[in-house]
Amino acid sequence: MRTIFSKSPYPPTRHHTFTESLIEENIEAAELSITKWDSLYGDDHVSYCNIASLFSENNRDEAKQYLSSIKGLQKAMRYLASLESTSDKLVRAQTLMQTAMKRLEREFYQILKSNRNYLDPESVSNHSSSRLSVSRSSFSDSEEGGSENDSIPEVERGSSAVIADLRAIAEAMISAGYAKECFKIYRTIRKSIVDEALYNLGVERNLGFQQIQKMEWEILEVKIKHWLNAVKGAVKTVFYGERLLCDQVFAISSSIRESCFTDVSKEGALALFGFPENVAKCKKTPEKMFRILDLYEAVSDLWPEIESIFSFESTSTVRSTAVNSLIRLSDAVRTMLTDFEMAIQKHSSKTTVPGGGIHPLTRYVMNYISFLADYSGVLSDIIADWPLQISSPLPESYFGSPDKEESISSPISVRLAWLILVMLCKLDGKAEMYKDVALSYLFLANNLQYVVNKVRQSNLKLLLGDNWVTKHEQKVRKYAANYERMGWSKVFAALPENPTAEIPVDQVIEHFRNFNSAFEEAYKKQTSWVVTDPKLRDEIKLSLARRIGPIYKEFFDKYGGLQLMKEMWAETLVRYTPDDLGNYCSDLFFGSGSSGSISSSSSQGGGYSR
């Protein structure tokens, strides 16, 4: 037989509150209540869930009396233990107490098992601990606080009542020295509920580093998505709800409250937060970057809740696992950023893009960096204490140093500006592969315009600023101007400085011949060239039209008329009207390359009509 009270805080005195008669009354009252409900068990082996519940709504008054009699019995036992630890009355009281505790064990089990709808993590987490603590006790009179309770949803009222019953039983058992039994029942039932909730969310318990490392990325990415979908619910519903429940049920004992929550939740939490750490330790490749950032963001966003829910010393490993995940993930991001930069610098393709269009490197890098800009908040945390290490001098005279831009100040902005700069320098080298200088400038204009557009259309604009955009737009215009100068120089040279000046016929003939030759050469060469951005395409066409059209029109109007038509060679000499030039130029920069010989097409209807 268990001896619960070896020492009593109540030493025997003549004026002690207890008297022999009062002790006897307490024992008899307890015996009456305890034996009455013990008789309802019948066989000792009856299932916990097949008993008539003392804590049902119909037996509320008897439940109050039952718990009250246990308190009276405890007082009597303390007093008897202080007088004579081997008295018959003390043995009798201990036997009654053991019977009562057995009853409460079964009641505790039954309430936990049969009220899952009120005690599931979501129901518990839906209302705060403060509401639970001030809600009406299930043992208070039904008239008390009626109006206040009417405003509380039924599920919350039911949950509060059930928790109050569990708390009352736990307090009675712990006070009587039966904490171990109470703890065992709670841990067994609640751990299975928490484990089931995590399983339903998709949390995998036995997914170690070795398994993750061997997975194909497509499979691992699916598992990461499942984890991302599960982690918020796991923390804010499952673990938060269980922490609230433990805090309420075991409010009487901080040590038991901690032990219960730790035993119920620790294993699942370690599995949950160990997953991103294991993912971060796997091989780093560029395509994994954004899922790694997703994992980091999820853990980082939930850190306040993680720190609060797992605040016990016994759950410190959960906190450290979450922190280690953040550290590992941030290290992985830094490694991948470094590898990404090196991959740009080492890009060694010698193939030129037909027509001077957008290079695949430009598309890939800018898409990648624009996605990185969507994670600017997370990246700012990761690279805050990771200064940019530049391995080679920045070509300030060419692009400007990103860390000296007035609009670029934050570490993440500097980092992304630097990556763009590395790519632009690489593109400058690729432009040199074109044999035609004009096409190389068109290539640079196309690709830089693509970069500017990507910045404008993404969060990069917020990070790099208007000054950065304006500066690089000016660079696009400079490239376009260089393209015009190099690509159409012969055409410009073929036009007279003063188109209306009186000049000899042989000079007129020479100008027309030179213009025809230069224009046809430029046009045939450039029909396969492209300008991908519609606005830039129109700007270049308009610029060409302004530089060629008015001068040619004036010269044509003065010398392309009747006086030359009298000569036999007039039709082949004056091949293009001003309108013809506009029509031909409008076909440029689409990369069609469909026009073979413009002289033949012009002579068959492209020239001016007679």
Side-chain angles (χ1 to χ4, degrees), residues 186 241-251 257 260-261 264:
Y186 185 93
E242 193 56 42
R243 175 63 192 267
L244 285 180
L245 189 60
C246 283
D247 287 350
Q248 290 298 304
V249 172
F250 300 104
R257 184 165 67 242
C260 275
F261 177 73
V264 168

Side-chain angles (χ1 to χ4, degrees), residues 60-86:
R60 191 59 55 194
D61 289 339
E62 291 202 44
K64 290 171 62 178
Q65 182 182 348
Y66 194 91
L67 293 176
S68 178
S69 69
I70 290 176
K71 290 181 180 179
L73 186 60
Q74 284 180 281
K75 291 179 181 179
M77 292 174 69
R78 289 193 184 100
Y79 182 74
L80 290 170
S82 67
L83 292 176
E84 186 179 355
S85 60
T86 59

Side-chain angles (χ1 to χ4, degrees), residues 356-542:
I358 310 302
H359 198 283
L361 179 67
T362 309
R363 295 184 188 276
Y364 178 78
V365 171
M366 288 310 301
N367 285 335
Y368 199 89
I369 294 177
S370 63
F371 280 130
L372 286 177
D374 294 337
Y375 293 88
S376 58
V378 177
L379 281 170
S380 295
D381 292 340
I382 292 174
I383 69 174
D385 57 347
W386 187 45
L388 179 63
Q389 300 293 330
I390 299 174
S391 57
S392 60
L394 288 172
E396 293 185 44
S397 60
Y398 193 58
F399 289 109
S401 172
D403 57 357
K404 293 184 179 180
E405 291 268 8
E406 292 181 2
S407 60
I408 299 178
S409 57
S410 68
I412 178 60
S413 299
V414 171
R415 179 74 54 174
L416 297 184
W418 167 247
L419 289 174
I420 293 175
L421 175 57
V422 170
M423 180 199 67
L424 292 176
C425 291
K426 195 70 179 179
L427 290 176
D428 191 48
K430 294 184 181 299
E432 296 176 358
M433 298 179 188
Y434 288 98
K435 295 179 180 180
D436 194 301
V437 178
L439 182 56
S440 69
Y441 279 118
L442 194 64
F443 168 79
L444 290 173
N446 276 324
N447 282 266
L448 186 53
Q449 184 64 51
Y450 182 89
V451 171
V452 171
N453 289 343
K454 271 294 181 180
V455 171
R456 279 191 173 279
Q457 297 163 7
S458 68
N459 286 331
L460 283 169
K461 187 173 186 295
L462 299 175
L463 296 172
L464 302 182
D466 291 331
N467 289 346
W468 188 98
V469 173
T470 300
K471 174 185 174 181
H472 287 80
E473 282 182 329
Q474 292 171 350
K475 195 70 178 179
V476 172
R477 304 297 170 259
K478 182 178 178 181
Y479 286 143
N482 287 341
Y483 150 74
E484 285 185 26
R485 179 173 56 84
M486 302 300 296
W488 295 87
S489 57
K490 291 183 180 180
V491 177
F492 299 148
L495 294 170
E497 293 184 11
N498 186 350
T500 59
E502 294 291 339
I503 58 175
V505 172
D506 59 339
Q507 289 186 26
V508 172
I509 294 172
E510 187 68 19
H511 278 302
F512 273 115
R513 284 177 174 170
N514 289 342
F515 181 84
N516 293 340
S517 175
F519 183 79
E520 289 169 7
E521 179 185 354
Y523 180 85
K524 284 188 286 186
K525 181 192 297 183
Q526 296 185 36
T527 51
S528 61
W529 295 6
V530 296
V531 178
T532 54
D533 179 71
K535 183 180 178 182
L536 179 61
R537 184 191 310 132
D538 291 342
E539 288 178 357
I540 294 177
K541 287 181 179 180
L542 182 60

Side-chain angles (χ1 to χ4, degrees), residues 112-127:
L112 283 171
K113 198 72 173 177
S114 61
N115 288 280
R116 289 190 56 172
N117 57 324
Y118 290 131
L119 298 176
D120 68 275
E122 185 172 1
S123 297
V124 176
S125 63
N126 277 341
H127 38 80

Side-chain angles (χ1 to χ4, degrees), residues 258-294:
E258 176 177 350
S259 296
C260 275
F261 177 73
T262 301
D263 277 28
V264 168
S265 304
K266 183 177 178 179
E267 184 181 340
L270 289 175
L272 180 71
F273 298 119
F275 175 77
E277 181 179 5
N278 287 331
V279 172
K281 290 190 291 186
C282 293
K283 183 180 179 181
K284 286 78 175 171
T285 52
E287 71 270 15
K288 296 179 182 178
M289 169 70 83
F290 302 105
R291 289 306 174 195
I292 295 293
L293 288 170
D294 287 335

